Amino acid sequence: MSKWKVIAPLGALAAAGVAAAALLARKKTGETAPKAASAAAKKAEPREVLMKTGEYSFVSGFKDAKTVEVTLDYDALRYGFDVIGEDFLTYSSDSHVAVISGEDFSIQMEYAAYYKGEDLAFITDKAAREYKGFAAVSFAGASGFRYREGDGVCFCLGVDEYSYLLLTLLKAEGCDKTAEELAEGAELKALLDTLRVRL
């Protein structure tokens, strides 16, 4: 056998060994990290937002009635906000309600009056005894309680001695979370933390 026939395969094997060693060295030193970093950088890029303020108002009280104004800040690229007088998401005896609609859930916000002798403490105690899923809640602009009612989760947030806000959260069709998970989630809290009630 000639020297050339022996040297050529040995040279090819040596070259392959050098290539494999270089590949292993590259993996050890993390030369592929820039690709991972660019993916992380894409995730970290700020999401475009379009902040708007929704307004809902109603009259609270009787002899000394006053107008209550409720505002809520929302990202118009993620949510819609409307005040409507018909085609409510859920039954209401009010003349108008506010509706906040997003990808995973919608909320109907309406005014509710206390009956004679009631206040927030009274209805809180009653709800704690009668409803499933009862829990105290507090947001930056309001506090009260929540409970499960039918397909949704209701929030009762104190306004004044005559009335409170009733918010009914309904999950969107196709959302894989439960209504309770949505009610306890960071997304809803961030939205409701912007609630402001002006008397």
Side-chain angles (χ1 to χ4, degrees):
M1 180 183 289
S2 71
K3 283 185 180 179
W4 176 247
K5 286 184 180 176
V6 173
I7 291 173
L10 287 175
L13 282 172
V18 169
L23 184 61
L24 283 173
R26 183 183 295 173
K27 284 186 178 177
K28 283 182 182 175
T29 59
E31 283 185 30
T32 57
K35 288 182 182 178
S38 65
K42 284 181 185 176
K43 280 186 178 179
E45 286 177 14
R47 183 180 56 79
E48 188 179 353
V49 296
L50 178 61
M51 294 306 295
K52 289 193 174 184
T53 300
E55 297 179 12
Y56 172 66
S57 62
F58 58 89
V59 175
S60 179
F62 303 100
K63 290 181 182 177
D64 55 348
K66 57 193 165 204
T67 299
V68 177
E69 293 180 1
V70 181
T71 59
L72 176 120
D73 298 331
Y74 65 98
D75 179 356
L77 299 178
R78 297 182 69 196
Y79 301 99
F81 183 97
D82 289 296
V83 175
I84 59 174
E86 56 185 12
D87 298 328
F88 300 147
L89 299 180
T90 186
Y91 171 78
S92 175
S93 59
D94 287 356
S95 61
H96 65 294
V97 303
V99 173
I100 304 111
S101 51
E103 185 178 335
D104 289 335
F105 60 81
S106 294
I107 302 169
Q108 179 169 298
M109 178 167 56
E110 60 194 285
Y111 137 85
Y114 297 119
Y115 292 110
K116 188 175 180 180
E118 291 183 348
D119 58 12
L120 186 62
F122 179 90
I123 66 169
T124 300
D125 182 60
K126 186 176 179 183
R129 287 183 279 108
E130 295 183 4
Y131 290 104
K132 291 181 179 179
F134 174 88
V137 295
S138 183
F139 304 103
S143 60
F145 61 92
R146 73 167 190 255
Y147 61 94
R148 181 68 191 239
E149 172 99 276
D151 293 333
V153 175
C154 296
F155 294 78
C156 296
L157 306 174
V159 171
D160 61 15
E161 66 270 32
Y162 301 110
S163 59
Y164 59 96
L165 280 176
L166 173 61
L167 283 68
T168 305
L169 177 143
L170 299 167
K171 75 173 196 166
E173 196 173 320
C175 176
D176 57 0
K177 294 181 180 176
T178 66
E180 285 82 4
E181 287 172 331
L182 294 168
E184 295 169 3
E187 184 178 347
L188 181 76
K189 178 163 174 48
L191 187 63
L192 296 186
D193 270 342
T194 69
L195 266 177
R196 294 177 300 276
V197 178
R198 289 194 296 270
L199 304 173

Short mmCIF file of all heavy atoms in Angstrom, two decimals, residues 53-54 56 69-74 81 98 100 107 109 138-143 155-159 165-167 188-198:
data_model
loop_
_atom_site.label_atom_id
_atom_site.label_comp_id
_atom_site.label_asym_id
_atom_site.label_seq_id
_atom_site.Cartn_x
_atom_site.Cartn_y
_atom_site.Cartn_z
N THR A 53 -58.82 56.91 28.95
CA THR A 53 -59.59 56.91 30.19
C THR A 53 -61.06 56.76 29.85
O THR A 53 -61.60 57.53 29.05
CB THR A 53 -59.36 58.21 30.98
OG1 THR A 53 -57.97 58.31 31.30
CG2 THR A 53 -60.18 58.23 32.26
N GLY A 54 -61.70 55.75 30.45
CA GLY A 54 -63.13 55.56 30.29
C GLY A 54 -63.87 56.23 31.44
O GLY A 54 -63.37 56.25 32.56
N TYR A 56 -67.69 56.78 33.47
CA TYR A 56 -69.04 56.29 33.74
C TYR A 56 -69.59 57.11 34.90
O TYR A 56 -68.90 57.29 35.91
CB TYR A 56 -68.99 54.80 34.11
CG TYR A 56 -70.29 54.22 34.60
CD1 TYR A 56 -71.39 54.09 33.76
CD2 TYR A 56 -70.42 53.75 35.91
CE1 TYR A 56 -72.59 53.54 34.20
CE2 TYR A 56 -71.61 53.19 36.36
CZ TYR A 56 -72.69 53.09 35.51
OH TYR A 56 -73.86 52.55 35.95
N GLU A 69 -68.83 60.26 39.54
CA GLU A 69 -68.06 60.01 38.31
C GLU A 69 -67.01 58.94 38.60
O GLU A 69 -66.22 59.08 39.53
CB GLU A 69 -67.39 61.30 37.83
CG GLU A 69 -68.39 62.34 37.35
CD GLU A 69 -67.70 63.61 36.87
OE1 GLU A 69 -66.45 63.67 36.90
OE2 GLU A 69 -68.42 64.52 36.47
N VAL A 70 -67.03 57.91 37.79
CA VAL A 70 -66.06 56.81 37.91
C VAL A 70 -65.20 56.81 36.65
O VAL A 70 -65.72 56.85 35.54
CB VAL A 70 -66.77 55.45 38.06
CG1 VAL A 70 -65.75 54.32 38.20
CG2 VAL A 70 -67.73 55.47 39.24
N THR A 71 -63.90 56.80 36.83
CA THR A 71 -63.00 56.72 35.67
C THR A 71 -62.10 55.50 35.81
O THR A 71 -61.85 55.01 36.92
CB THR A 71 -62.13 57.99 35.53
OG1 THR A 71 -61.35 58.16 36.72
CG2 THR A 71 -62.99 59.21 35.28
N LEU A 72 -61.63 55.03 34.67
CA LEU A 72 -60.78 53.84 34.62
C LEU A 72 -59.82 54.01 33.46
O LEU A 72 -60.23 54.36 32.35
CB LEU A 72 -61.65 52.60 34.42
CG LEU A 72 -60.94 51.28 34.25
CD1 LEU A 72 -61.36 50.32 35.35
CD2 LEU A 72 -61.28 50.67 32.91
N ASP A 73 -58.53 53.81 33.70
CA ASP A 73 -57.52 53.89 32.64
C ASP A 73 -57.34 52.52 32.01
O ASP A 73 -57.28 51.51 32.72
CB ASP A 73 -56.18 54.38 33.20
CG ASP A 73 -56.28 55.78 33.80
OD1 ASP A 73 -57.14 56.55 33.33
OD2 ASP A 73 -55.53 56.08 34.73
N TYR A 74 -57.25 52.48 30.70
CA TYR A 74 -57.10 51.20 30.01
C TYR A 74 -56.27 51.38 28.74
O TYR A 74 -56.18 52.48 28.18
CB TYR A 74 -58.47 50.61 29.66
CG TYR A 74 -59.27 51.44 28.66
CD1 TYR A 74 -59.28 51.09 27.31
CD2 TYR A 74 -59.98 52.56 29.06
CE1 TYR A 74 -60.00 51.85 26.39
CE2 TYR A 74 -60.69 53.32 28.15
CZ TYR A 74 -60.70 52.97 26.82
OH TYR A 74 -61.39 53.73 25.91
N PHE A 81 -63.83 50.11 25.67
CA PHE A 81 -64.63 50.67 26.76
C PHE A 81 -65.81 51.40 26.15
O PHE A 81 -65.65 52.24 25.27
CB PHE A 81 -63.78 51.65 27.60
CG PHE A 81 -64.53 52.20 28.79
CD1 PHE A 81 -64.38 51.65 30.04
CD2 PHE A 81 -65.38 53.30 28.64
CE1 PHE A 81 -65.07 52.15 31.14
CE2 PHE A 81 -66.07 53.81 29.73
CZ PHE A 81 -65.92 53.23 30.98
N ALA A 98 -71.38 50.57 32.05
CA ALA A 98 -70.10 50.63 31.32
C ALA A 98 -69.65 49.20 31.05
O ALA A 98 -69.86 48.31 31.88
CB ALA A 98 -69.05 51.37 32.14
N ILE A 100 -66.25 47.00 29.78
CA ILE A 100 -64.83 46.91 29.43
C ILE A 100 -64.64 45.52 28.82
O ILE A 100 -64.95 44.52 29.47
CB ILE A 100 -63.92 47.07 30.67
CG1 ILE A 100 -64.22 48.38 31.39
CG2 ILE A 100 -62.45 47.00 30.27
CD1 ILE A 100 -64.85 48.21 32.72
N ILE A 107 -66.13 43.00 31.43
CA ILE A 107 -66.66 43.43 32.71
C ILE A 107 -67.81 44.39 32.46
O ILE A 107 -67.69 45.32 31.66
CB ILE A 107 -65.60 44.17 33.55
CG1 ILE A 107 -64.38 43.29 33.79
CG2 ILE A 107 -66.20 44.66 34.87
CD1 ILE A 107 -63.20 44.04 34.37
N MET A 109 -69.92 47.18 34.38
CA MET A 109 -69.85 48.01 35.58
C MET A 109 -71.13 48.83 35.67
O MET A 109 -71.50 49.50 34.70
CB MET A 109 -68.63 48.93 35.51
CG MET A 109 -68.50 49.87 36.69
SD MET A 109 -66.87 50.69 36.79
CE MET A 109 -66.74 51.47 35.19
N SER A 138 -59.46 44.65 47.46
CA SER A 138 -59.08 46.04 47.58
C SER A 138 -58.25 46.43 46.37
O SER A 138 -57.31 45.72 45.99
CB SER A 138 -58.27 46.25 48.87
OG SER A 138 -57.97 47.62 49.03
N PHE A 139 -58.63 47.51 45.75
CA PHE A 139 -57.89 48.06 44.62
C PHE A 139 -57.45 49.46 45.01
O PHE A 139 -57.87 49.99 46.04
CB PHE A 139 -58.76 48.05 43.36
CG PHE A 139 -59.28 46.68 43.02
CD1 PHE A 139 -60.59 46.33 43.30
CD2 PHE A 139 -58.44 45.72 42.47
CE1 PHE A 139 -61.07 45.07 43.03
CE2 PHE A 139 -58.90 44.45 42.20
CZ PHE A 139 -60.22 44.12 42.47
N ALA A 140 -56.63 50.09 44.21
CA ALA A 140 -56.09 51.40 44.58
C ALA A 140 -57.18 52.42 44.86
O ALA A 140 -57.05 53.24 45.75
CB ALA A 140 -55.14 51.90 43.50
N GLY A 141 -58.28 52.34 44.10
CA GLY A 141 -59.32 53.36 44.25
C GLY A 141 -60.58 52.91 44.96
O GLY A 141 -61.48 53.72 45.19
N ALA A 142 -60.70 51.64 45.31
CA ALA A 142 -61.94 51.15 45.92
C ALA A 142 -61.70 49.82 46.63
O ALA A 142 -60.78 49.08 46.28
CB ALA A 142 -63.01 50.97 44.85
N SER A 143 -62.58 49.51 47.60
CA SER A 143 -62.49 48.21 48.27
C SER A 143 -63.89 47.67 48.49
O SER A 143 -64.87 48.41 48.45
CB SER A 143 -61.73 48.34 49.60
OG SER A 143 -62.41 49.23 50.46
N PHE A 155 -68.08 41.80 41.70
CA PHE A 155 -67.33 42.63 42.63
C PHE A 155 -68.26 43.74 43.11
O PHE A 155 -68.88 44.42 42.28
CB PHE A 155 -66.12 43.26 41.95
CG PHE A 155 -65.08 42.29 41.50
CD1 PHE A 155 -65.25 41.54 40.35
CD2 PHE A 155 -63.90 42.14 42.21
CE1 PHE A 155 -64.28 40.65 39.92
CE2 PHE A 155 -62.93 41.24 41.80
CZ PHE A 155 -63.12 40.50 40.66
N CYS A 156 -68.35 43.93 44.41
CA CYS A 156 -69.12 45.04 44.99
C CYS A 156 -68.11 45.98 45.65
O CYS A 156 -67.43 45.58 46.60
CB CYS A 156 -70.12 44.54 46.02
SG CYS A 156 -71.39 43.47 45.31
N LEU A 157 -68.02 47.19 45.14
CA LEU A 157 -67.03 48.16 45.62
C LEU A 157 -67.75 49.39 46.16
O LEU A 157 -68.58 49.99 45.46
CB LEU A 157 -66.08 48.55 44.49
CG LEU A 157 -65.38 47.38 43.78
CD1 LEU A 157 -64.56 47.88 42.59
CD2 LEU A 157 -64.50 46.61 44.75
N GLY A 158 -67.46 49.77 47.39
CA GLY A 158 -68.14 50.86 48.04
C GLY A 158 -67.94 52.20 47.35
O GLY A 158 -66.85 52.51 46.86
N VAL A 159 -69.02 53.02 47.30
CA VAL A 159 -68.97 54.36 46.72
C VAL A 159 -69.27 55.40 47.80
O VAL A 159 -68.45 56.24 48.12
CB VAL A 159 -69.96 54.51 45.53
CG1 VAL A 159 -70.07 55.96 45.09
CG2 VAL A 159 -69.53 53.63 44.37
N LEU A 165 -70.59 50.20 43.51
CA LEU A 165 -70.37 49.75 42.14
C LEU A 165 -70.48 48.24 42.11
O LEU A 165 -69.89 47.55 42.94
CB LEU A 165 -68.98 50.14 41.64
CG LEU A 165 -68.78 51.57 41.16
CD1 LEU A 165 -67.31 51.78 40.80
CD2 LEU A 165 -69.66 51.87 39.97
N LEU A 166 -71.22 47.73 41.14
CA LEU A 166 -71.32 46.29 40.91
C LEU A 166 -70.62 46.00 39.59
O LEU A 166 -71.03 46.49 38.54
CB LEU A 166 -72.78 45.86 40.84
CG LEU A 166 -73.03 44.40 40.43
CD1 LEU A 166 -72.40 43.43 41.43
CD2 LEU A 166 -74.53 44.13 40.31
N LEU A 167 -69.56 45.23 39.65
CA LEU A 167 -68.82 44.81 38.45
C LEU A 167 -69.01 43.32 38.27
O LEU A 167 -68.78 42.55 39.20
CB LEU A 167 -67.33 45.11 38.58
CG LEU A 167 -66.86 46.55 38.41
CD1 LEU A 167 -67.35 47.44 39.52
CD2 LEU A 167 -65.36 46.61 38.31
N LEU A 188 -56.36 41.73 35.70
CA LEU A 188 -57.56 42.40 36.20
C LEU A 188 -57.19 43.40 37.30
O LEU A 188 -57.70 44.52 37.33
CB LEU A 188 -58.57 41.39 36.74
CG LEU A 188 -59.86 42.04 37.25
CD1 LEU A 188 -60.74 42.48 36.10
CD2 LEU A 188 -60.61 41.09 38.16
N LYS A 189 -56.29 43.01 38.19
CA LYS A 189 -55.89 43.90 39.28
C LYS A 189 -55.28 45.18 38.72
O LYS A 189 -55.58 46.28 39.19
CB LYS A 189 -54.93 43.20 40.24
CG LYS A 189 -54.46 44.13 41.35
CD LYS A 189 -53.86 43.40 42.51
CE LYS A 189 -53.27 44.33 43.55
NZ LYS A 189 -54.11 45.43 43.95
N ALA A 190 -54.40 45.04 37.72
CA ALA A 190 -53.77 46.22 37.14
C ALA A 190 -54.82 47.16 36.55
O ALA A 190 -54.71 48.38 36.66
CB ALA A 190 -52.76 45.81 36.07
N LEU A 191 -55.85 46.59 35.94
CA LEU A 191 -56.91 47.39 35.35
C LEU A 191 -57.74 48.09 36.43
O LEU A 191 -57.97 49.30 36.38
CB LEU A 191 -57.80 46.49 34.48
CG LEU A 191 -58.89 47.13 33.64
CD1 LEU A 191 -58.30 48.07 32.60
CD2 LEU A 191 -59.75 46.07 32.98
N LEU A 192 -58.18 47.34 37.45
CA LEU A 192 -59.05 47.90 38.48
C LEU A 192 -58.30 48.79 39.46
O LEU A 192 -58.91 49.60 40.16
CB LEU A 192 -59.80 46.79 39.21
CG LEU A 192 -60.76 45.97 38.35
CD1 LEU A 192 -61.56 44.99 39.21
CD2 LEU A 192 -61.72 46.87 37.57
N ASP A 193 -56.98 48.68 39.51
CA ASP A 193 -56.21 49.59 40.34
C ASP A 193 -56.24 51.03 39.81
O ASP A 193 -55.84 51.95 40.51
CB ASP A 193 -54.75 49.13 40.46
CG ASP A 193 -54.51 48.19 41.63
OD1 ASP A 193 -55.37 48.16 42.54
OD2 ASP A 193 -53.49 47.49 41.64
N THR A 194 -56.72 51.21 38.59
CA THR A 194 -56.81 52.56 38.02
C THR A 194 -58.18 53.19 38.28
O THR A 194 -58.41 54.34 37.88
CB THR A 194 -56.54 52.56 36.50
OG1 THR A 194 -57.63 51.91 35.82
CG2 THR A 194 -55.23 51.85 36.16
N LEU A 195 -59.11 52.45 38.91
CA LEU A 195 -60.43 52.99 39.21
C LEU A 195 -60.34 54.22 40.12
O LEU A 195 -59.64 54.19 41.14
CB LEU A 195 -61.30 51.94 39.93
CG LEU A 195 -62.22 51.05 39.12
CD1 LEU A 195 -62.89 50.06 40.04
CD2 LEU A 195 -63.24 51.85 38.35
N ARG A 196 -61.05 55.27 39.76
CA ARG A 196 -61.14 56.45 40.61
C ARG A 196 -62.59 56.85 40.72
O ARG A 196 -63.30 56.94 39.71
CB ARG A 196 -60.31 57.60 40.03
CG ARG A 196 -58.81 57.32 40.02
CD ARG A 196 -58.02 58.43 39.37
NE ARG A 196 -58.39 58.64 37.98
CZ ARG A 196 -57.92 57.95 36.95
NH1 ARG A 196 -57.07 56.94 37.17
NH2 ARG A 196 -58.29 58.22 35.72
N VAL A 197 -63.06 57.08 41.94
CA VAL A 197 -64.46 57.47 42.19
C VAL A 197 -64.46 58.90 42.72
O VAL A 197 -63.83 59.19 43.74
CB VAL A 197 -65.12 56.52 43.20
CG1 VAL A 197 -66.56 56.95 43.48
CG2 VAL A 197 -65.08 55.08 42.69
N ARG A 198 -65.15 59.78 42.00
CA ARG A 198 -65.26 61.18 42.43
C ARG A 198 -66.71 61.51 42.76
O ARG A 198 -67.59 61.29 41.93
CB ARG A 198 -64.74 62.12 41.33
CG ARG A 198 -63.24 62.08 41.13
CD ARG A 198 -62.74 63.24 40.30
NE ARG A 198 -63.27 63.20 38.93
CZ ARG A 198 -62.67 62.59 37.92
NH1 ARG A 198 -61.56 61.93 38.11
NH2 ARG A 198 -63.20 62.63 36.71
#
